[in-house]
Amino acid sequence: MTKLTSQPSGRLLYAQSGGVTAVINATAAGVIEAARAKGVKVYAARNGILGALREDLIDTSKESRAAITALRHTPGGAFGSCRYKLKSLDANRAEYERLIDVFRAHDIRWFLYNGGNDSADTALKISQLGKAMGYDIRCIGVPKTVDNDLAVTDCCPGFGSVAKYTAVSTLEASLDVASMADTSTKVFIVEVMGRHAGWIAAAAGLAGEGADAPPHLILFPERVFDEAAFLAKVKATVERVGWCTVVASEGIRNAQGQFLAEAGTRDAFGHSQLGGVAPVLAALVKEKLGYKYHWALPDYLQRSARHLASKTDADQAYAVGKAAVDYALAGMNAVMPVIVRSSDAPYRWKIEAAPLLKIANREKKMPASFLTRDGFGITAAARRYLAPLIQGEAALPYGKDGLPKYVTLRNEALPRKLPSFKA
Ligand code: F6P
């Protein structure tokens, strides 16, 4: 964690990166409102770091105060996001030189990068640029990811809302299947996000407690998928309860380490695009057990569901944005505002600065103590951790048309000063 000495005047650049969430714009609101309060102008890069490379910058001072406030309840990424990996300085010096050129041309002295672990890596690389290239830039990583897999922070903004959506939807769909089971559907399977870590799947466990309450099985990426044990538990549940709800993480793998469902495409980080484990499991249930099933893949529905957001999550998302500005203006560099929990019940949390070095490129998986012995459920310790994160409803204004009043920003581009750059 470096603290640079001088306190330059200049502009602050904010960008959103990676998969967006229901509350990432609340973080943007926290950033912009905090900076405005200190008299600092905020630019936003369109589509994350790509906007910085392409000199595609948005002047947020053109947005009204009401529009920025409305970001607090608008899902998606208001400035556009990206999946783009910066290579190392040695491997692609041209990109870093370009970033410095853009920062210099627009007097950008602070860069706030709002994303997950890959984005923390980008933030860390940029935080090291100042020394390497003789330009005084401070970089703060701002946490966000529905996957909840960032190291150090107790939880990640975006997770509490997807957790609430998943727990509530699991409960609601289970009431449905319970009604139909006698003469129709016996098994309902829902697939949730979480590539390598089962936090979202675990949150479904909040829908009910006890052996007969849904979800009856949760499949975690932390555990190897055991087909025989899975089928035996589904069968036993249907015979005992009359029906069965299964929640599966998109990232579950077989004993050979292969994802059960891989779409075959990869993103810029080399991650496989996942999606489709639910129909694979459903086919198995039908073929081996003969039960009628339904399956669901909420996909983007789960991470954009602002109508079911957690107030705790929305508050934390805003708070990390505000703290990031405070850290940047205080001269800090290479840090991330993280959430520190001091108590489960009553739930108490605060924000602290943590070094990006301890966060970038690491993944926090579910601890073994959060999984039941058979690997199909969550423990009391997991419930204690998860329960506060879905607390509270984050108010959403609705219009006469019955739809939420979401904001679309003007996103007015700053005039370009440099030649174009291909990124
Ligand atoms: O950012 C996390 C995440 O939501 C994962 O859970 C999911 O696997 C992935 O993003 C999907 O990414 P994309 O929207 O780029 O396909």
Side-chain angles (χ1 to χ4, degrees):
M1 185 177 331
T2 8
K3 205 163 178 178
L4 301 182
T5 44
S6 61
Q7 171 72 57
S9 64
R11 311 283 190 240
L12 183 148
L13 181 65
Y14 166 78
Q16 302 177 323
S17 173
V20 295
T21 78
V23 297
I24 187 172
N25 288 332
T27 301
V31 167
I32 296 168
E33 289 180 353
R36 281 185 180 184
K38 301 249 166 87
V40 173
K41 204 174 218 188
V42 177
Y43 296 154
R46 203 185 308 272
N47 296 319
I49 195 69
L50 282 175
L53 287 165
R54 293 171 179 157
E55 201 196 0
D56 192 355
L57 307 180
I58 293 160
D59 184 355
T60 72
S61 68
K62 302 282 164 98
E63 311 293 343
S64 68
R65 188 197 287 215
I68 298 304
T69 304
L71 283 180
R72 284 189 83 152
H73 66 253
T74 301
F79 305 110
S81 187
C82 74
R83 291 201 186 275
Y84 186 82
K85 191 165 180 66
L86 280 183
K87 297 204 174 72
S88 68
L89 188 58
D90 291 341
N92 196 348
R93 197 173 177 88
E95 274 191 336
Y96 292 92
E97 284 169 353
R98 169 66 175 188
L99 284 174
I100 296 294
D101 287 349
V102 172
F103 293 163
R104 201 187 301 272
H106 295 275
D107 195 21
I108 291 161
R109 294 289 172 175
W110 304 283
F111 182 51
L112 269 45
Y113 207 37
N114 196 180
N117 13 37
D118 292 324
S119 317
D121 172 66
T122 302
L124 181 62
K125 284 175 171 146
I126 293 174
S127 72
Q128 293 159 345
L129 265 191
K131 264 200 193 137
M133 303 188 79
Y135 180 80
D136 194 2
I137 180 83
R138 296 111 200 272
C139 186
I140 310 287
V142 194
K144 165 253 48 157
T145 174
V146 293
D147 290 349
N148 202 39
D149 60 354
L150 281 174
V152 186
T153 188
D154 179 71
C155 61
C156 302
F159 172 67
S161 295
V162 78
K164 187 168 181 117
Y165 175 88
T166 303
V168 171
S169 303
T170 300
L171 174 60
E172 291 175 343
S174 296
L175 293 173
D176 194 315
V177 67
S179 324
M180 303 307 293
D182 192 31
T183 52
S184 182
T185 303
K186 297 260 187 299
V187 178
F188 176 66
I189 302 170
V190 59
E191 170 178 338
V192 296
M193 285 181 164
R195 196 186 294 275
H196 301 136
W199 296 103
I200 304 177
L206 294 175
E209 205 168 346
D212 291 354
H216 306 97
L217 282 90
I218 305 176
L219 304 177
F220 299 97
E222 284 86 353
R223 290 290 171 98
V224 172
F225 176 69
D226 178 340
E227 183 180 312
F230 164 73
L231 290 169
K233 179 134 189 182
V234 170
K235 187 165 184 285
T237 306
V238 172
E239 285 172 0
R240 193 179 71 249
V241 183
W243 52 281
C244 177
T245 294
V246 178
V247 177
S249 159
E250 64 178 0
I252 54 172
R253 297 172 192 249
N254 60 23
Q256 288 70 47
Q258 294 157 326
F259 288 117
L260 252 63
E262 220 177 276
T265 48
R266 285 181 186 273
D267 68 17
F269 295 96
H271 303 317
S272 305
Q273 180 175 358
L274 303 180
V277 92
V280 170
L281 294 170
L284 205 56
V285 164
K286 179 75 191 158
E287 190 197 319
K288 299 280 166 71
L289 303 176
Y291 295 137
K292 182 173 181 227
Y293 62 79
H294 272 255
W295 58 265
L297 208 175
D299 199 72
Y300 278 9
L301 299 179
Q302 69 200 282
R303 74 178 198 202
S304 61
R306 182 57 182 78
H307 63 287
L308 248 181
S310 142
K311 181 175 185 312
T312 303
D313 188 35
D315 289 348
Q316 291 178 338
Y318 186 86
V320 294
K322 184 181 174 305
V325 171
D326 292 343
Y327 296 166
L329 299 187
M332 294 171 93
N333 187 36
V335 296
M336 176 179 273
V338 296
I339 296 157
V340 178
R341 178 189 302 226
S342 52
S343 144
D344 293 326
Y347 179 48
R348 289 206 185 92
W349 57 276
K350 63 180 175 181
I351 307 273
E352 270 176 13
L356 280 175
L357 251 183
K358 291 198 169 162
I359 299 167
N361 300 313
R362 299 181 191 206
E363 263 177 341
K364 187 170 71 185
K365 308 227 173 143
M366 291 266 296
S369 62
F370 280 14
L371 272 61
T372 52
R373 198 165 305 153
D374 70 358
F376 289 132
I378 57 167
T379 59
R383 284 177 195 282
R384 275 196 300 278
Y385 168 77
L386 292 164
L389 306 182
I390 69 165
Q391 288 307 309
E393 289 68 54
L396 191 55
Y398 279 83
K400 284 203 187 103
D401 56 5
L403 294 172
K405 287 193 194 168
Y406 292 140
V407 68
T408 304
L409 299 181
R410 297 165 56 169
N411 280 353
E412 219 172 276
L414 280 173
R416 285 195 163 86
K417 298 183 177 181
L418 300 170
S420 62
F421 181 89
K422 204 171 159 358

